[in-house]
Amino acid sequence: MEFAELIKTPRADNVVLHRPFHAAVEGTLCLTGHHLIFSSRRHDAAEELWLLHSNIDSSEKRFVGSLGTLVIKCKDLRIIQLDIPGMEECLNIASSIEALSTLDSVTLLYPFFYRPMFDILEDGWSSFLPEQEFELLSSVTDEWRLSCINRDFSVCASYPPVVIVPKSINDDELRKVAQFRHGNRFPVLSYYHKKNGMVMMRSSQPLTGTNWRRCKEDEKLVNATLRPGKRGYIIDTRSLNVAQQARAKGGGFEQEAHYPQWRRIHKSIERFNILQESLIKLVEACNDQSHNMDRWLSKLEASNWLTHVKEILTTACLAAQCIDREGASVLVHGSEGTDSTLQVTSLAQIILDPRCRTIQGFESLVVREWLQAGHPFQHRCAQSAYSNSKQKWEAPVFLLFLDCVWQILRQFPCSFEFNQQFLIMLFEHAYASQFGTFLGNNENERAKQKLPQKTMSLWSWVNRTEELSKFHNPLFEANSLVIWPSVAPQSLQLWEGVFLRWNRPSKYLDEAQEEMINIINYNKELQAKVNVLRRSLAELEAGTRMHQNM
Amino acid sequence: QVEQVKLLDRFSTSNKSLTGTLYLTATHLLFIDSSQRETWILHHHIAAVEKLPLTTSGCPLVIQCKNFRIVHFVVPRERDCHDVYNSLLQLSRTAKYEELYAFSYNPKQNESEQAKGWQLIDLSEEYKRMGVPNAYWQLSDANRDYKICETYPRELYVPRTASKPIIVGSSKFRSKGRFPVLSYYHKNKEAAICRCSQPLSGFSARCLEDEHMLQAISKANPSNRYMYVMDTRPKLNAMANRAAGKGYENEDNYSNIRFQFVGIENIHVMRSSLQKLLEVSGTRGLSVNDFLSGLENSGWLRHIKAVLDAAVFLVKAIAVESASVLVHCSDGWDRTSQVCSLGALLLDSYYRTIKGFMVLIEKDWISFGHKFSDRCCQLDGDPKEISPVFTQFLESVWNLTEQFPQAFEYNEAFLLQIHEHVHSCQFGNFLGNCQKEREELKLKEKTYSLWPFLLAEQKKYLNPLYNPDFSPELTLLEPNTVSFNFKFWRNMYHQFDRSMHPRQSVFNLIMNLSEQNKQLEEDIKELEAKIKQRTGQSDAVLVKEHQQSAHPAPVALKSPPCFKKEQPPTPGNDAVRTIEGSNTADNRYSELVSEFSKAEPAVVSLEYGVARMTC
């Protein structure tokens, strides 16, 4: 298919662009296969706006006479307005945008056409391989092995080709366990706590059904992660009620009788359609500047967004506590094991493992616990807060995870190597990107579409010095401790960097941030200078002393 | 002295507690736990003491403080608890000013230092700085003996055209005699902020002198002869006042005025709003939705927004239209003080400096008779007079510092410290309800002024991001007052609940760094001088060198502290501001640093408890 077929009017002049807190600009609008490009004709301050079609969440058109107005709402939550003279032009452009922003085929998306303008130092597609992760692990323990059972994705469609499992379980047993777990997501290693050798596993729900089916191999696998005489915790991210309902539909949870060494704890993290609604309500509340205080607070409350944040953080803290404080191993699952499970396992690692608070470590965490673990990005991030169509699988699961990370970052501003821009960047790329990293729902789909061969990895771009410098937290001091965040409502905040980003001018806050960086850099400069001076003084003194001794 | 007393964590559900000894001194309640950590609570800070029903572990005693600290003790023997309870009740309720801490507080200053301290803030200097007296405004001696208005200061600035009969007539037509006077003069716009109380207009009464007074104010502004009259009350309240013979200006009787209600609620609404806020924020195991709906129901942030919105309205009239504004409420000492002082703060960058902020408080709050004694319940009095009006002012300023991080010379700790001392009764500034009362109490001889003490430790209150170039003289701040900009002030209402604070404070880190930068700059100078000296010394003056060799030791000694500083400044020490009413050495800086190193916040142990219970 040619994009040209979809672009009836490739160019319109005298278009006026309106953005909040910017003066309106007149210029030319161009449509290409993947971008909407607006450039002002003013010579003194030429401005260009490039917008990926895939970033457009929804668009509305209206007319006053022959002047058409197009309101474009983006997945990164920004809203822009274009005044396009001429009814036909406007209609054409509107329908082109509509078509181009909702392309069916993945292979037509921009990542398949994008050619990088930078030198690739390291191919991001091979930056974070499970084999490397296992190498690190095997240097501290030999109780685990790398299984290639899923090499051709035949055992579990949403798992990566290689997974880490207990050594004492062979591949035949794994196949049986896979039969017993929803979507064949058998328990695999998520995290090994070096401090005490405790582990965190993740899986999907067991298919116990109404007649309490059991699976000896599953029990053997789960128990194989326990030290002799030790107990473990199963953290079910659903409430007991929801879990019981799931049982009626063939799913279920581990029964005490069959897993006597395990204690089950139910928490209730909401599922995707509820989360999506929550996001829509939150963004609606943030975008309305006219709300009086009572209305704003009640809208913020009604969105339930911060409740979800608190719930997820609390569950992650619980998992981390079981491991670090109780010295117990943990198995985390919800229903499918692709959403709330991953929120909990990845956040628990941020709390426990200092490595995950570095840039590389966080990238590796996102790759391991989200991309390879089979979080369905393509489904979840198909639409953002402005979707009018009835939702199917959309949900801001990953955004909630990033929000939780931001909350911890706010409470421990010196313990993270990255800043909030890094998190915002990941949010943007998860929803619309020139890179192939977040395309597809799992490794299986990515392999089928040959993404590593045909598209560029986000990590190839991010991990270059020029880009990294933008995401570096100047306050970072490696902190090897476990960091326990406060989850009191008074300690949680709305993530302004994302939700109020387009709703208020941030000039003063940005300048203050800059000043802060200046102070830090100046300090480093002074330190260096003092050291140099001190050394030369010492040399001089030594010189004089020698002189005296002579 | 009571031993084996337990101090419970307010928010923990795991009943973790510290055991220690409780001491009662003449001025403080002191708790020393087994690891010798001290908690000092000034008796004047105690807002309420409550004895809860006996439990198996002893008799619980809850103490609520005016600085929003809440401590929960468990005393093993009921008798002791009862004694402590009674003593505290007595000690926290003072009947006479002379019994307040300020009268016994002795910071070891001699008389001249004491007097100098009181002279630090000179309001006539301040009016000079604003540019009055001038061709339009003059100092009036009408109230020199407090004859016209008891609650106003002696020195008042009025339009030159306002003669004494006009002043006297106008004051008779105003509630409590508080006639229109100058609060702030904007040099560039030649516009003024004036303040007064409500007119005694009832349904139809008018007063020619008062009308002349307002006309004099509008004529004193050559740039715009229209002036605004801002009634800061909700319209309904103002109308209700008419039935009592008070009310608001009738636009028809006054020429060239534009009348405007701005709808800030009265002291009673504010009191109960804060009460509700504290109830919500003090709930254990609070859910996000309960917190947000509690915040909404309390109306607290709505009130803060209303105050700031009113100030923004005032500022627009002056900055955009160059119009003078007369502000009043009922008595003109609560809402009027809030709006006038915030307006001036937005208009004039001087008030965003440490000294300027002190001047602003002295001018619009202390001298114009905000009833600190009644509002803060310094003496045992009418509980209906208590209201967090000044707290709201500080909170509004805090909101501005959040929006304009580089515009203020002072930081949050400064605001919190002032709040602390408004209630501590340790210094004389805030005692009493008006200047006349303060003079009668001879506060300047018998007590000390707070400001020199704050200035002496101003390092703690400096905003490291402050950029004086950000706001040259008379730079207007235009805050965004869309609702989402207003946040719950955790560091005020949970100042003492450390578990809710960020574990590492960017602000303190930057503060330390910028402090360290200054030191480093000096070190560099010193080192450079030394090097210069060394290189300049020819071998011929070896003798001198020899003599000096006794000295290099201090140089060598000096470097270690510098090197020490190079280590990462200890994070989490937002303790700089936690000062317990008493002397400045009471801040528990070092202790909190060690507390941090444990990195075990209480809130998580809440979850920990959950994990245990499920086992």
Side-chain angles (χ1 to χ4, degrees):
Chain A
M1 186 194 71
E2 286 295 316
F3 291 115
E5 290 168 24
L6 296 173
I7 306 172
K8 290 172 211 149
T9 302
R11 179 193 160 111
D13 289 319
N14 304 321
V15 173
V16 179
L17 169 71
H18 301 270
R19 285 164 299 176
F21 311 109
H22 286 85
V25 194
E26 194 185 299
T28 303
L29 181 72
C30 294
L31 289 187
T32 72
H34 296 103
H35 284 96
L36 177 155
I37 304 162
F38 175 89
S39 59
S40 78
R41 292 175 306 174
R42 289 219 317 274
H43 293 298
D44 49 333
E47 238 187 307
E48 270 190 14
L49 174 81
W50 287 64
L51 198 65
L52 264 180
H53 290 315
S54 57
N55 189 7
I56 296 173
D57 209 17
S58 72
S59 60
E60 292 156 25
K61 52 183 181 292
R62 54 170 189 263
F63 291 94
V64 178
S66 68
L67 181 75
T69 293
L70 203 56
V71 176
I72 294 176
K73 300 181 174 178
C74 302
K75 289 177 185 163
D76 60 14
L77 308 183
R78 140 176 56 171
I79 296 179
I80 60 169
Q81 185 190 321
L82 295 165
D83 295 342
I84 304 166
M87 190 178 276
E88 204 191 323
E89 276 88 350
C90 187
L91 281 173
N92 283 344
I93 287 169
S95 68
S96 303
I97 287 176
E98 176 75 32
L100 289 166
S101 60
T102 53
L103 292 174
D104 282 331
S105 165
V106 171
T107 51
L108 289 177
L109 290 175
Y110 188 49
F112 286 90
F113 297 83
Y114 172 71
R115 292 290 160 262
M117 306 284 280
F118 55 85
D119 293 330
I120 298 152
L121 299 174
E122 188 194 343
D123 183 9
W125 286 111
S126 50
S127 291
F128 308 101
L129 297 174
E131 288 82 1
Q132 296 163 352
E133 200 58 34
F134 183 71
E135 217 164 283
L136 284 175
L137 178 70
S138 48
S139 68
V140 284
T141 172
D142 62 351
E143 292 163 7
W144 300 84
R145 69 183 180 96
L146 209 54
S147 168
C148 301
I149 187 174
N150 201 35
R151 189 178 294 126
D152 48 4
F153 304 103
S154 60
V155 174
C156 172
S158 61
Y159 267 174
V162 283
V163 288
I164 303 174
V165 292
K167 214 172 201 172
S168 54
I169 304 296
N170 62 40
D171 282 358
D172 287 338
E173 286 167 319
L174 281 182
R175 272 189 199 97
K176 285 190 180 136
V177 179
Q179 295 297 314
F180 184 62
R181 293 275 171 178
H182 188 120
N184 308 111
R185 295 172 66 90
F186 54 89
V188 295
L189 181 77
S190 161
Y191 171 66
Y192 181 89
H193 197 43
K194 283 193 197 116
K195 197 167 122 192
N196 58 11
M198 293 302 131
V199 296
M200 181 160 57
M201 313 267 297
R202 58 174 155 74
S203 67
S204 60
Q205 63 178 346
L207 302 172
T208 52
T210 42
N211 51 2
W212 290 118
R213 220 157 64 89
R214 61 187 286 192
C215 169
K216 292 268 182 212
E217 289 79 7
D218 189 77
E219 289 158 26
K220 183 182 171 196
L221 194 167
V222 171
N223 287 334
T225 66
L226 292 178
R227 297 270 164 84
K230 281 274 196 178
R231 304 183 129 207
Y233 291 90
I234 294 172
I235 295 177
D236 193 324
T237 61
R238 308 161 293 179
S239 67
L240 183 59
N241 222 344
V242 175
Q244 264 158 355
Q245 284 165 14
R247 196 161 68 87
K249 291 181 205 146
F253 49 88
E254 295 80 355
Q255 204 187 12
E256 284 85 348
H258 302 152
Y259 299 83
Q261 285 156 287
W262 295 81
R263 287 278 171 260
R264 216 177 54 243
I265 304 172
H266 289 275
K267 299 297 278 183
S268 68
I269 298 179
E270 289 296 352
R271 291 177 46 82
F272 44 81
N273 53 336
I274 293 176
L275 300 181
Q276 181 70 9
E277 254 168 58
S278 170
L279 175 69
I280 291 172
K281 281 187 191 163
L282 175 72
V283 171
E284 216 174 76
C286 292
N287 283 353
D288 193 334
Q289 310 256 335
S290 69
H291 285 325
N292 65 26
M293 188 59 77
D294 290 359
R295 199 154 169 68
W296 155 247
L297 288 172
S298 80
K299 286 250 176 184
L300 183 61
E301 182 202 338
S303 78
N304 274 325
W305 184 264
L306 286 170
T307 303
H308 300 315
V309 168
K310 181 173 152 81
E311 206 52 59
I312 295 164
L313 267 177
T314 306
T315 312
C317 285
L318 178 72
Q321 251 160 6
C322 293
I323 293 169
D324 189 67
R325 300 282 184 82
E326 299 269 329
S329 285
V330 171
L331 168 65
V332 184
H333 70 74
S335 299
E336 293 89 354
T338 53
D339 294 282
S340 56
T341 306
L342 306 182
Q343 289 172 329
V344 173
T345 56
S346 53
L347 283 167
Q349 291 181 55
I350 285 172
I351 293 167
L352 293 169
D353 187 1
R355 192 171 65 112
C356 295
R357 300 171 218 146
T358 64
I359 291 180
Q360 282 273 334
F362 190 78
E363 289 173 357
S364 155
L365 181 77
V366 169
V367 172
R368 265 184 292 130
E369 291 297 298
W370 291 89
L371 292 162
Q372 291 170 355
H375 174 66
F377 276 100
Q378 192 153 322
H379 283 157
R380 296 289 179 261
C381 301
Q383 295 256 266
S384 157
Y386 302 121
S387 52
N388 345 328
S389 57
K390 200 157 170 2
Q391 311 135 20
K392 286 170 278 181
W393 304 293
E394 290 83 3
V397 177
F398 187 62
L399 175 58
L400 266 165
F401 158 70
L402 294 175
D403 195 331
C404 292
V405 176
W406 178 78
Q407 304 283 349
I408 307 178
L409 169 64
R410 256 194 69 257
Q411 296 187 27
F412 294 89
C414 311
S415 301
F416 288 81
E417 195 189 6
F418 49 87
N419 57 19
Q420 76 156 332
Q421 298 311 321
F422 185 65
L423 299 174
I424 296 173
M425 180 275 292
L426 288 175
F427 157 60
E428 290 174 342
H429 283 279
Y431 278 86
S433 175
Q434 66 269 44
F435 303 106
T437 301
F438 290 106
L439 292 184
N441 287 312
N442 49 51
E443 294 294 272
N444 188 5
E445 289 186 18
R446 284 179 202 112
K448 274 187 194 148
Q449 285 152 2
K450 298 201 167 54
L451 290 179
Q453 293 82 39
K454 293 189 171 170
T455 72
M456 180 62 45
S457 161
L458 171 66
W459 316 121
S460 311
W461 171 72
V462 170
N463 288 339
R464 293 168 316 125
T465 339
E466 307 94 285
E467 291 306 320
L468 279 182
S469 64
K470 285 186 226 156
F471 302 128
H472 224 275
N473 174 8
L475 299 167
F476 178 59
E477 295 272 0
N479 173 0
S480 60
L481 295 171
V482 175
I483 53 174
W484 300 109
S486 160
V487 294
Q490 293 97 322
S491 307
L492 302 178
Q493 262 189 17
L494 178 68
W495 190 7
E496 298 169 348
V498 165
F499 298 110
L500 300 181
R501 182 180 179 189
W502 314 102
N503 297 329
R504 58 171 194 192
S506 63
K507 178 168 170 271
Y508 300 124
L509 299 179
D510 295 345
E511 283 173 2
Q513 185 70 23
E514 231 166 78
E515 174 62 20
M516 197 181 84
I517 294 171
N518 286 343
I519 292 176
I520 296 166
N521 289 340
Y522 185 51
N523 184 266
K524 284 181 189 147
E525 233 171 76
L526 288 174
Q527 300 265 13
K529 198 164 172 192
V530 163
N531 287 340
V532 168
L533 286 173
R534 212 169 264 147
R535 214 170 299 131
S536 54
L537 182 66
E539 273 165 20
L540 274 171
E541 270 170 1
T544 341
R545 219 163 286 138
M546 268 171 59
H547 222 94
Q548 283 165 353
N549 291 343
M550 266 157 57
Chain B
Q1 175 184 341
V2 186
E3 283 179 28
Q4 288 297 312
V5 174
K6 287 197 184 108
L7 175 63
L8 299 186
D9 186 306
R10 182 178 166 199
F11 289 100
S12 166
T13 46
S14 60
N15 286 330
K16 263 205 299 190
S17 64
L18 296 165
T19 308
T21 312
L22 200 61
Y23 299 89
L24 277 176
T25 74
T27 53
H28 287 83
L29 173 75
L30 170 62
F31 177 79
I32 303 182
D33 68 18
S34 45
S35 48
Q36 297 303 311
R37 259 185 304 205
E38 298 174 4
T39 308
W40 290 81
I41 294 170
L42 189 65
H43 295 323
H44 294 315
H45 267 150
I46 296 176
V49 196
E50 198 186 345
K51 243 179 14 166
L52 298 183
L54 202 66
T55 66
T56 47
S57 51
C59 192
L61 191 69
V62 178
I63 300 172
Q64 279 182 45
C65 301
K66 292 173 185 170
N67 54 9
F68 309 115
R69 177 198 276 262
I70 293 181
V71 281
H72 194 142
F73 291 113
V74 177
V75 185
R77 285 172 48 205
E78 199 187 359
R79 238 205 107 68
D80 292 337
C81 182
H82 195 72
D83 288 348
V84 173
Y85 174 75
N86 281 337
S87 317
L88 284 180
L89 272 193
Q90 272 177 355
L91 288 165
S92 64
R93 286 182 191 165
T94 316
K96 281 194 300 195
Y97 281 119
E98 284 79 2
E99 289 166 8
L100 291 175
Y101 185 29
F103 289 88
S104 59
Y105 175 66
N106 185 355
K108 299 191 181 71
Q109 278 192 347
N110 62 34
E111 269 174 40
S112 78
E113 280 171 319
Q114 184 180 17
K116 229 169 108 188
W118 280 109
Q119 284 155 11
L120 183 71
I121 307 293
D122 179 353
L123 288 186
S124 56
E125 275 301 314
E126 168 58 9
Y127 283 99
K128 246 183 241 162
R129 188 195 65 86
M130 290 181 210
V132 287
N134 59 20
Y136 302 101
W137 295 87
Q138 66 176 5
L139 178 64
S140 155
D141 61 357
N143 200 38
R144 175 162 294 171
D145 306 313
Y146 298 116
K147 279 204 181 121
I148 294 181
C149 176
E150 290 201 334
T151 58
Y152 266 172
R154 288 176 191 272
E155 299 192 337
L156 292 168
Y157 292 82
V158 294
R160 275 195 193 278
T161 53
S163 64
K164 188 132 183 209
I166 290 183
I167 291 175
V168 173
S170 169
S171 80
K172 287 196 175 130
F173 188 62
R174 294 276 168 180
S175 185
K176 308 272 188 334
R178 296 170 66 91
F179 62 97
V181 294
L182 182 76
S183 160
Y184 177 75
Y185 182 76
H186 196 286
K187 272 191 281 207
N188 297 1
K189 304 277 177 190
E190 299 181 298
I193 302 177
C194 295
R195 52 184 295 169
C196 62
S197 60
Q198 63 184 338
L200 303 174
S201 52
F203 289 100
S204 58
R206 54 189 289 188
C207 167
L208 283 178
E209 288 92 340
D210 194 60
E211 288 160 26
H212 282 304
M213 186 73 200
L214 264 64
Q215 198 155 20
I217 293 174
S218 73
K219 277 191 185 148
N221 180 348
S223 351
N224 189 341
R225 50 190 197 93
Y226 273 101
M227 69 180 280
Y228 283 91
V229 175
M230 270 175 83
D231 190 328
T232 56
R233 299 169 293 183
K235 189 172 182 185
L236 217 65
N237 298 22
M239 283 173 41
N241 262 304
R242 293 207 315 207
K246 300 163 189 171
Y248 52 94
E249 291 80 359
N250 182 342
E251 256 177 309
D252 300 337
N253 297 342
Y254 295 85
S255 45
N256 300 337
I257 72 163
R258 282 176 203 154
F259 189 83
Q260 177 76 34
F261 286 111
V262 290
I264 303 174
E265 298 287 352
N266 66 23
I267 57 164
H268 311 295
V269 174
M270 300 309 190
R271 181 179 56 245
S272 74
S273 169
L274 178 63
Q275 194 54 44
K276 284 184 202 152
L277 180 79
L278 294 178
E279 265 165 37
V280 172
S281 67
T283 312
R284 275 189 194 194
L286 187 64
S287 77
V288 172
N289 281 356
D290 286 347
F291 175 63
L292 290 173
S293 68
L295 201 57
E296 181 197 340
N297 291 334
S298 77
W300 186 253
L301 291 180
R302 169 161 50 90
H303 300 314
I304 301 289
K305 175 169 153 60
V307 171
L308 209 51
D309 273 330
V312 168
F313 178 88
L314 165 80
V315 163
K316 273 198 185 132
I318 291 189
V320 180
E321 299 179 48
S322 299
S324 292
V325 185
L326 174 64
V327 184
H328 72 74
C329 47
S330 296
D331 289 318
W333 50 42
D334 294 311
R335 291 167 270 201
T336 303
S337 296
Q338 288 177 331
V339 175
C340 289
S341 54
L342 280 173
L345 185 88
L346 293 174
L347 286 167
D348 194 333
S349 45
Y350 176 62
Y351 300 125
R352 294 170 227 146
T353 64
I354 288 191
K355 178 89 184 286
F357 194 63
M358 296 173 176
V359 168
L360 185 67
I361 292 174
E362 278 285 343
K363 175 169 72 74
D364 272 308
W365 292 87
I366 296 176
S367 90
F368 277 117
H370 172 68
K371 302 204 288 175
F372 278 106
S373 178
D374 288 357
R375 298 289 177 260
C376 304
C377 193
Q378 292 170 351
L379 301 182
D380 198 17
D382 182 0
K384 286 213 173 75
E385 283 284 312
I386 303 173
S387 189
V389 176
F390 188 72
T391 308
Q392 290 183 321
F393 163 68
L394 291 179
E395 184 160 337
S396 307
V397 177
W398 173 76
N399 268 299
L400 294 173
T401 63
E402 288 282 290
Q403 274 195 42
F404 304 96
Q406 295 195 270
F408 291 81
E409 190 188 14
Y410 41 89
N411 59 24
E412 187 184 40
F414 186 59
L415 303 176
L416 292 174
Q417 185 71 322
I418 291 174
H419 184 259
E420 187 90 6
H421 283 298
V422 164
H423 293 96
S424 74
C425 303
Q426 185 182 353
F427 296 96
N429 308 62
F430 303 103
L431 299 192
N433 286 321
C434 58
Q435 294 297 57
K436 182 166 178 262
E437 206 173 2
R438 290 183 192 109
E439 285 174 22
E440 284 162 6
L441 288 168
K442 298 202 168 52
L443 289 181
K444 292 198 176 176
E445 292 138 55
K446 294 185 176 166
T447 71
Y448 296 85
S449 166
L450 167 67
W451 309 127
F453 291 87
L454 291 186
L455 270 188
E457 50 181 28
Q458 66 166 313
K459 253 191 202 170
K460 283 197 240 170
Y461 307 126
L462 287 175
N463 169 12
L465 301 180
Y466 175 55
N467 177 7
D469 303 329
F470 174 88
S471 44
E473 210 189 355
L474 299 179
T475 312
L476 178 68
L477 287 192
E478 293 176 273
N480 180 338
T481 59
V482 175
S483 301
F484 56 56
N485 289 295
F486 293 85
K487 276 173 270 176
F488 173 72
W489 193 4
R490 185 196 53 225
N491 288 355
M492 172 67 103
Y493 303 102
H494 291 294
Q495 189 182 351
F496 300 95
D497 305 310
R498 315 294 317 170
S499 64
M500 284 184 185
H501 292 238
R503 304 293 187 263
Q504 300 168 325
S505 155
V506 176
F507 197 82
N508 287 310
L509 203 95
I510 296 297
M511 206 153 104
N512 288 345
L513 279 184
S514 95
E515 191 63 26
Q516 193 186 344
N517 284 352
K518 277 179 208 152
Q519 178 64 40
L520 284 171
E521 276 171 356
E522 268 169 43
D523 286 357
I524 286 175
K525 262 188 219 151
E526 201 178 308
L527 284 168
E528 275 171 348
K530 284 223 173 75
I531 289 175
K532 210 171 160 194
Q533 191 190 347
R534 292 269 169 187
T535 44
Q537 272 165 354
S538 66
D539 295 0
V541 270
L542 270 179
V543 193
K544 197 181 168 199
E545 183 61 34
H546 208 76
Q547 283 172 336
Q548 263 203 347
S549 62
H551 294 288
V555 180
L557 275 178
K558 224 180 172 178
S559 45
C562 275
F563 274 118
K564 226 186 216 166
K565 270 191 171 173
E566 281 166 32
Q567 288 164 2
T570 331
N573 44 6
D574 17 3
V576 197
R577 85 170 94 78
T578 31
I579 287 146
E580 198 54 47
S582 181
N583 70 59
T584 49
D586 278 351
N587 74 50
R588 300 155 304 154
Y589 192 91
S590 51
E591 291 158 21
L592 274 155
V593 172
S594 63
E595 234 170 57
F596 169 77
S597 59
K598 280 189 242 152
E600 291 181 8
V603 178
V604 172
S605 45
L606 176 154
E607 304 303 332
Y608 185 59
V610 173
R612 273 256 167 81
M613 280 191 291
T614 6
C615 290

